[in-house]
Amino acid sequence: MNFKKAFAATAIMFALTATFAHAQNDAATVNTKSSDNAISAALGTKAGTGKYDEADNLKKAQDELATTFNNLSVTGFKESPIKGLYEMKAGGNVIYFHPATEDQKGILIFGQMFDRDGVNLTDLSKSEGLVDTLKDLPLDSAITVGPKNAPVFYEFTDPDCPYCHAYDEWMKTYAKDHPVQRKLIFMVNPGHPLARAKIEHVICSKDKDEAVRYVYSEELPHNPDGANAIQLAKQKSLKTCKEAESVIQKHAQIIQAVGVNGTPSFLFNIDTKPNLIVGFDRQKISDSLAALEKPTVTKVDKQSQTTSK
């Protein structure tokens, strides 16, 4: 299910209830050989040379943000691809800030930025530094299904999400010829009141593959309206356990840190160049899965090669 329409309002509510934390300036944006000089230049006033204007403007914009939106928690404050517009991250999402002018107050902008080639610059920015972010997350709490030695990727899913069901049906066919190991991270959606019990059932079951198959099947109700008596009876008999709450909280932590706001979503190549795909985009998912299956090409020194006749 896609939550883009409601994301802006949700992101504002999240951002304005958090605590502001100053982000460090990116030294790479300062034209100087000394990091100490760069910091001094960023904190000081212009010396008439204009050499440190960029760092000075960055610091002023950051200070204005802290003053104007003093309950906003951000990280990674830097200039965006558009000069004069600044970029920050909040809860795994990218937000833009335009400082005040003589005629207008400072403005927060929630949205995505594309270049003329259709490249999503906002998504690229989200991926920057994601490797380090993922290292600190409880990814071992993900529910593993599929063969042990198969290519691995992560899914953000919801047992009662219609698009997740469509993807799940597609994956059954795909996996017959292309075995993969799926790491499931469950999102609890208040709009799907029957989903949490299914999530707990998967967490508490020994046979994860069978549990996942069961909770996505039509044996269980996925909408309170129209569910028959047999489905409701099976829903009530789903497994539960003490550890379920802890796992669900860890999944929520991962979802917030990565910035996922809809299901299904997919995360590939977490150790090298993380690639986040939001929505059931068959072409993008197929291409990413195919890339996982490609063998690593190793360069061989020609002088060490021998031939036999």
Side-chain angles (χ1 to χ4, degrees), residues 56-73:
D56 192 30
N57 290 337
L58 180 69
K59 180 62 170 58
K60 287 180 179 179
Q62 186 174 333
D63 287 345
E64 181 186 330
L65 176 72
T67 302
T68 308
F69 301 96
N70 57 6
N71 288 324
L72 181 63
S73 178

Side-chain angles (χ1 to χ4, degrees), residues 79 144 168 189-190 215 251 259:
E79 190 166 24
T144 302
D168 190 66
N189 179 0
V215 301
H251 286 196

Side-chain angles (χ1 to χ4, degrees), residues 253-303:
Q253 179 186 348
I254 297 168
I255 288 166
Q256 179 177 326
V258 176
V260 173
N261 51 60
T263 56
S265 292
F266 309 88
L267 186 60
F268 295 87
N269 308 317
I270 66 167
D271 296 321
T272 53
K273 188 177 180 181
N275 174 28
L276 179 64
I277 299 174
V278 178
F280 180 23
D281 188 321
R282 298 189 188 194
Q283 189 60 55
K284 287 184 179 180
I285 295 169
S286 296
D287 291 345
S288 297
L289 288 171
L292 290 179
E293 297 174 8
K294 290 181 180 178
T296 302
V297 178
T298 304
K299 293 183 179 180
V300 179
D301 186 349
K302 291 183 180 180
Q303 294 180 354

Side-chain angles (χ1 to χ4, degrees), residues 158-237:
D158 168 0
D160 287 348
C161 158
Y163 295 107
C164 298
H165 280 247
Y167 160 76
D168 190 66
E169 287 298 317
W170 176 81
M171 175 51 69
K172 289 177 183 177
T173 301
Y174 180 90
K176 289 180 180 178
D177 298 321
H178 309 276
V180 290
Q181 185 180 127
R182 302 159 60 187
K183 300 281 189 176
L184 307 184
I185 298 171
F186 289 107
M187 175 184 285
V188 177
N189 179 0
H192 297 157
L194 302 178
R196 185 184 174 101
K198 297 183 181 73
I199 294 171
E200 291 188 12
H201 177 81
V202 173
I203 295 170
C204 302
S205 297
K206 290 184 179 180
D207 188 339
K208 305 298 186 187
D209 290 82
E210 171 56 25
V212 169
R213 183 210 65 77
Y214 183 53
V215 301
Y216 282 86
S217 74
E218 293 306 314
E219 296 177 55
L220 294 171
H222 299 286
N223 189 319
D225 299 329
N228 61 50
I230 296 176
Q231 288 177 319
L232 291 175
K234 290 183 177 181
Q235 175 77 17
K236 290 181 180 179
S237 65

Side-chain angles (χ1 to χ4, degrees), residues 54-105:
E54 186 176 349
D56 192 30
N57 290 337
L58 180 69
K59 180 62 170 58
K60 287 180 179 179
Q62 186 174 333
D63 287 345
E64 181 186 330
L65 176 72
T67 302
T68 308
F69 301 96
N70 57 6
N71 288 324
L72 181 63
S73 178
V74 303
T75 58
F77 192 89
K78 64 180 182 179
E79 190 166 24
S80 78
I82 301 176
K83 191 172 181 62
L85 187 67
Y86 297 89
E87 175 185 303
M88 57 196 152
K89 294 180 181 178
N93 295 296
V94 171
I95 303 173
Y96 300 102
F97 173 64
H98 191 282
T101 63
E102 293 181 1
D103 303 323
Q104 193 164 2
K105 296 179 180 179

Side-chain angles (χ1 to χ4, degrees), residues 24-44 51-52 55-56:
Q24 292 182 346
N25 290 330
D26 184 356
T29 63
V30 184
N31 183 19
T32 179
K33 296 180 180 180
S34 169
S35 59
D36 290 336
N37 289 340
I39 295 172
S40 298
L43 295 175
K51 186 176 181 180
Y52 300 122
D56 192 30

